[in-house]
């Protein structure tokens, strides 16, 4: 493990030299790649350097205790030794987590698709609640959101809404949100006050670069048609709407949000690329899960992952058995408690796998 840490530190120092090289600075693409690599290894290097300081401090304190010290100095040395040994244990745990295999998608932006599922209008309204929750959480993280496409219902909910969230490490925090979300509440349209159960589904996909998923022109069928608004209103006189079909997978993306055919195609291609990349990832996840169960279950998109119970102001994440009596705060975008718990659970399971020799 320590050989690995030393090689990471050596590479970090090499990156520092490269990033000050004029030839690298003038090559924007390479400079950004190396800057990202440096940022991704910085925490590991800082923890390792502190670990080395602590190990040396323990050695010095033990040597000091071997000398003839007066009682007061000996007591101070013992206290320092105890503190350093505790810090060494804490740093070793941090290092184990930092050395876990990295999810290559963690630092990516995402495309999130939210759909009303079982429950009609109430499911569409709940999809809207989830959409607002993720938007507010993104804002709290300093991320940017952009609605790519939306199918709004007459009462203000969403049959479907697709948005892109951009910022630092978006996928690392939101990747566990994929799955079926269930709501239990009295609908505003319900005169008898009965609690209804509805569901909405969330899919989180890492944004895919062109180099990561090879989609050839010959594999795409493009259909151009006239865009129309709700109920056929405001029919666009120019054929600006675009439908892309990826022939090898059968994945279809239609986009009519923009007035420009070119802009609609650009948006559609972003979503198509993400969906194709996501399908490749899901197939790989399924192969992995056939050997051992995924820690938090980010693979099965039909899995019911969370229940939002309004009468009791309660949110329960079924994968990790977490229940929080703060539904109102969570829907207001204060999701850190849930997301942090999911990350810690996943890390703990992966550590156990690693220690068991998987």
């Amino acid at each position: 493990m320590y050989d690995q840490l030393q090689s990471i530190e050596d590479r970090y120092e090499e990156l520092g030299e490269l990033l000050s090289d004029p030839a690298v600075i003038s090559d924007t693409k390479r400079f950004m790649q190396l800057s990202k690599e440096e940022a991704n290894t910085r925490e590991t290097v800082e923890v390792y350097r502190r670990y080395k300081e602590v190990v040396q401090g323990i050695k010095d304190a033990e040597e000091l205790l071997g000398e003839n010290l007066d009682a007061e100095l000996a007591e101070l040395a013992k206290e320092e030794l105890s503190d350093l040994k505790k810090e060494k244990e804490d740093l070793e745990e941090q290092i184990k987590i930092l050395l876990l295999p990295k999810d290559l998608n963690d630092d990516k932006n995402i495309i999130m698709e939210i759909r009303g599922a079982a429950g009609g209008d109430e499911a569409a309204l709940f999809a809207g609640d989830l959409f607002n929750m993720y938007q507010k959480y993104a804002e709290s993280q300093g991320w940017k959101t952009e609605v790519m496409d939306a199918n709004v219902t007459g009462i203000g909910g969403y049959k479907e809404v697709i948005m892109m969230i951009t910022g630092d490490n978006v996928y690392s925090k939101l990747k566990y949100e994929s799955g079926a979300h269930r709501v239990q509440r009295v609908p505003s349209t319900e005169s008898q006050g009965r609690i209804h159960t509805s569901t909405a589904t969330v899919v989180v996909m890492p944004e895919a670069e062109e180099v990561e998923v090879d989609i050839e022109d010959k594999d795409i069928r493009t259909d151009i048609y006239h865009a129309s608004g709700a109920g056929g209103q405001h029919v666009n006189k120019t054929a600006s709407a675009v439908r892309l079909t990826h022939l090898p997978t059968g994945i279809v993306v239609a986009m009519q949000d923009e007035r420009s055919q070119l802009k609609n195609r650009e948006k559609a291609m972003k979503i198509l690329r993400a969906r194709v990349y996501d399908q490749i990832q899901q197939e790989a996840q399924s192969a992995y899960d056939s050997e051992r169960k995924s820690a938090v279950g980010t693979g099965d998109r039909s899995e019911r992952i969370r229940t939002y119970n309004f009468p009791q102001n309660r949110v329960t994440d079924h994968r990790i058995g977490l229940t929080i009596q703060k539904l109102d705060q969570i829907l207001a975008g204060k999701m850190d408690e849930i997301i942090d718990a999911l990350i810690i659970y996943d890390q703990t399971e992966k550590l156990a796998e690693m220690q068991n020799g998987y």
Side-chain angles (χ1 to χ4, degrees):
M1 181 171 80
Y2 300 106
D3 288 343
Q4 185 181 353
L5 286 164
Q6 189 57 53
S7 67
I8 291 171
E9 184 182 26
D10 292 343
R11 174 60 176 166
Y12 183 77
E13 289 173 355
E14 182 188 3
L15 287 167
E17 293 174 10
L18 287 168
L19 288 168
S20 60
D21 184 335
V24 173
I25 293 169
S26 62
D27 184 343
T28 306
K29 188 174 180 181
R30 189 171 180 223
F31 182 79
M32 288 183 69
Q33 286 174 338
L34 294 177
S35 296
K36 186 178 284 189
E37 185 183 349
E38 187 209 36
N40 287 340
T41 55
R42 188 178 301 134
E43 185 183 1
T44 304
V45 171
E46 287 172 354
V47 172
Y48 176 51
R49 285 174 175 171
R50 177 57 189 162
Y51 178 80
K52 289 193 290 185
E53 289 173 2
V54 168
V55 168
Q56 185 60 48
I58 290 171
K59 184 180 177 184
D60 293 344
E62 287 175 338
E63 287 177 359
L64 193 61
L65 282 167
E67 300 174 5
N68 291 324
L69 301 173
D70 62 47
E72 188 177 349
L73 278 175
E75 187 60 33
L76 285 172
K78 284 178 183 176
E79 284 182 16
E80 183 183 9
L81 184 61
S82 176
D83 290 344
L84 287 170
K85 284 184 173 179
K86 174 68 171 65
E87 187 178 358
K88 179 173 177 278
E89 288 178 11
D90 292 342
L91 289 167
E92 284 172 345
E93 288 305 307
Q94 281 188 59
I95 286 168
K96 285 177 187 176
I97 289 170
L98 288 166
L99 290 181
L100 283 173
K102 295 283 190 294
D103 186 330
L104 297 177
N105 294 317
D106 273 352
D107 63 350
K108 291 181 185 289
N109 302 323
I110 66 162
I111 290 174
M112 175 181 278
E113 301 182 351
I114 306 170
R115 294 180 178 84
D121 286 343
E122 176 62 14
L125 286 171
F126 179 49
D129 292 336
L130 294 176
F131 170 70
N132 291 329
M133 177 182 77
Y134 291 123
Q135 273 201 320
K136 288 170 184 172
Y137 177 69
E139 186 180 335
S140 75
Q141 300 297 305
W143 300 335
K144 293 182 179 178
T145 59
E146 177 195 357
V147 176
M148 308 281 282
D149 195 24
N151 186 344
V152 185
T153 64
I155 59 171
Y158 290 98
K159 288 182 180 177
E160 176 187 53
V161 59
I162 302 172
M163 68 172 160
M164 187 164 187
I165 305 179
T166 57
D168 293 333
N169 300 308
V170 181
Y171 186 77
S172 71
K173 293 192 174 181
L174 291 179
K175 63 184 176 182
Y176 306 114
E177 294 302 300
S178 289
H181 296 242
R182 180 174 69 169
V183 64
Q184 295 172 325
R185 64 181 172 192
V186 178
S188 56
T189 54
E190 176 60 61
S191 59
Q192 302 299 315
R194 291 177 298 183
I195 294 173
H196 282 225
T197 298
S198 307
T199 57
T201 60
V202 175
V203 173
V204 175
M205 300 175 292
E207 182 187 16
E209 302 292 337
E210 289 184 43
V211 294
E212 292 172 311
V213 53
D214 185 23
I215 298 180
E216 298 184 32
D217 289 342
K218 66 181 179 63
D219 290 335
I220 299 174
R221 187 180 73 231
T222 304
D223 298 307
I224 308 298
Y225 57 99
H226 291 273
S228 62
Q233 300 298 310
H234 311 296
V235 176
N236 197 331
K237 292 181 180 178
T238 60
S240 60
V242 174
R243 185 190 301 109
L244 302 180
T245 304
H246 185 241
L247 299 174
T249 61
I251 293 171
V252 179
V253 178
M255 184 64 59
Q256 62 173 34
D257 199 44
E258 302 284 348
R259 292 183 180 274
S260 157
Q261 184 186 125
L262 181 61
K263 286 183 178 178
N264 279 327
R265 182 179 173 81
E266 284 176 0
K267 278 189 173 183
M269 271 305 297
K270 272 192 178 182
I271 297 170
L272 181 67
R273 197 177 291 118
R275 286 183 182 172
V276 171
Y277 183 69
D278 183 62
Q279 181 161 313
I280 294 167
Q281 298 274 301
Q282 291 302 304
E283 287 169 357
Q285 182 72 46
S286 296
Y288 177 88
D289 286 347
S290 67
E291 296 180 23
R292 66 185 78 92
K293 183 63 181 167
S294 174
V296 188
T298 54
D300 185 1
R301 295 297 168 77
S302 64
E303 177 186 6
R304 190 187 75 203
I305 65 167
R306 197 174 295 147
T307 295
Y308 304 73
N309 183 291
F310 275 72
Q312 296 172 353
N313 196 38
R314 184 182 70 216
V315 176
T316 300
D317 195 290
H318 304 291
R319 297 164 294 179
I320 59 175
L322 176 69
T323 295
I324 303 173
Q325 306 286 153
K326 300 176 184 174
L327 172 61
D328 52 341
Q329 294 181 37
I330 288 163
L331 287 177
K334 296 176 181 176
M335 299 181 65
D336 289 308
E337 193 171 345
I338 287 183
I339 287 170
D340 290 348
L342 286 163
I343 291 170
I344 290 167
Y345 182 89
D346 194 22
Q347 288 173 343
T348 303
E349 291 292 303
K350 285 175 179 172
L351 273 173
E353 280 191 358
M354 191 168 70
Q355 289 164 358
N356 290 332
Y358 284 108

